Structures are given as C-alpha cells and as structure tokens.
Amino acid sequence: MAMFYLNTRHQLPQISIHQNQSRVDRSVIRPATIHGNNEQARSNKGITQSRVEIDNYPSRRAYGSRTMNDYTRERGQKGISDAQRATSERTQRAWSFIEQGAKRGSDIPQKYKSDVMAKYAQARNLVHFSLMSGPNISVTQGQVVGEPSQGDVTADIESQFSADVTITPGSAETTLADKGFIRSWVSEGHYDIYA
C-alpha cells in the first residue's frame, strides 16, 4: 500500500525599509552685539608759557630817544612857554624903550647889546644832566590750565537667547516586499522535494 506524504513549503514575509536620516540644513548662532561709548579719560591739562615783557623806553628816553607823541608834546609845551617868555620880555623891553629911549644919556642900546651877547655866550655852552632810568620789566608766570575729563567707557551687550536652526527631520518608510506563503500538498510514495 502506497504511503502518502504531506509536503509543506513556506516563505516568510519580507519587508522593505526606506530610511532618510535627519539633517541640519542651517545652523546660525546670532552673535551678541555690543553698543556703548569708549571715551578714554584725558587730563586736558596744559602749561602756558612764562612771559617776560621789557619796556626799555625809559632808558632810551634818558639818552634822548623819544616817541613821536612824547616829542611833539614836549616841543609843544616848550614852544608855548618860550613864546610866553619871549612875548613878556619883548613887551617889557618895548615899554622900556618907549619910556627911556628918547631921554638923554639913556643906556638902553648898550644894555640891549650886552643882553644879546650874554644870550649868545650862553647858547654856546650846553650842559645836560640826565640820570638813566632802568627798563620796566614785568614777568607773567606760566600756569597749569585745563580741566580733566573722566571719560565714559560703557558697554551694552545684546544677545539672542536662541540660534537660527533649520532641520529636515528624518523619515522611515516600511513596505511589504513579499507577502510570504505556506503551501501544502500531498505526494505519493515519497516527499516531493522539488515542488
């Protein structure tokens, strides 16, 4: 009697996975920004030069040097006094001539001649006494001037609390590549290994 054999063939189901890794497309860290003043402290100090002023006009004047103002003032005053003195002398002399000139034995012409000769002799001898004056010297001392500046060094830092990041998320797609199967059949006398 022939034997019957149960043949079974099977294949497991197969899946297919398509996977994309996540990636960072852009990652930007916003740098901190600093706003502020950077005014350094300064002394702002300086020294003025000492100044020496020498007015030597009094010394030059003692030797006869004059400014035009002094010269014209002195000459003007001397001219006025000379004119007053000469007018007074000539007026007195004229009245003397009027009153005494016509009298017999008058010595007015002789007196006039002797006065003229005396003035001439006086004019030939020049006597000049002058004490030399020292120059006027004034000194202005140098001074420290200026006010210091304390400066202003301040900083205002502004930072962002987050970065600018763009991310493409990953994905995984699963599909059934092969459903698999189980087949069974009966063979007579032997196993059907080629089926």
Side-chain angles (χ1 to χ4, degrees), residues 10-26:
H10 71 88
Q11 182 176 329
L12 295 174
Q14 296 178 353
I15 61 172
S16 173
I17 300 175
H18 179 70
Q19 182 178 2
N20 288 323
Q21 297 289 333
S22 62
R23 66 178 184 270
V24 177
D25 295 326
R26 185 179 66 161

Side-chain angles (χ1 to χ4, degrees), residues 87-113:
T87 303
S88 176
E89 286 178 3
R90 281 177 174 69
T91 303
Q92 288 176 0
R93 198 172 290 146
W95 280 109
S96 179
F97 282 158
I98 292 170
E99 293 174 354
Q100 304 291 329
K103 294 182 180 176
R104 198 179 292 191
S106 174
D107 61 346
I108 289 178
Q110 188 65 29
K111 233 187 221 187
Y112 181 72
K113 186 176 180 183

Side-chain angles (χ1 to χ4, degrees), residues 11-48:
Q11 182 176 329
L12 295 174
Q14 296 178 353
I15 61 172
S16 173
I17 300 175
H18 179 70
Q19 182 178 2
N20 288 323
Q21 297 289 333
S22 62
R23 66 178 184 270
V24 177
D25 295 326
R26 185 179 66 161
S27 176
V28 178
I29 297 175
R30 299 185 187 100
T33 56
I34 299 176
H35 307 283
N37 294 328
N38 187 9
E39 181 184 341
Q40 297 297 319
R42 296 180 181 272
S43 68
N44 292 331
K45 292 287 187 179
I47 299 175
T48 61

Side-chain angles (χ1 to χ4, degrees), residues 140-160:
T140 303
Q141 295 180 351
Q143 296 179 347
V144 177
V145 295
E147 291 296 325
S149 171
Q150 294 181 354
D152 180 16
V153 180
T154 57
D156 181 16
I157 301 173
E158 181 182 346
S159 61
Q160 302 291 332

Side-chain angles (χ1 to χ4, degrees), residues 77-141:
Q77 290 172 354
K78 187 173 186 315
I80 292 171
S81 65
D82 287 352
Q84 290 172 345
R85 185 174 44 79
T87 303
S88 176
E89 286 178 3
R90 281 177 174 69
T91 303
Q92 288 176 0
R93 198 172 290 146
W95 280 109
S96 179
F97 282 158
I98 292 170
E99 293 174 354
Q100 304 291 329
K103 294 182 180 176
R104 198 179 292 191
S106 174
D107 61 346
I108 289 178
Q110 188 65 29
K111 233 187 221 187
Y112 181 72
K113 186 176 180 183
S114 66
D115 285 347
V116 170
M117 291 306 284
K119 285 186 180 178
Y120 175 72
Q122 228 177 15
R124 289 175 51 193
N125 298 322
L126 296 175
V127 179
H128 182 70
F129 292 98
S130 175
L131 296 176
M132 182 175 164
S133 300
N136 295 326
I137 300 174
S138 63
V139 177
T140 303
Q141 295 180 351

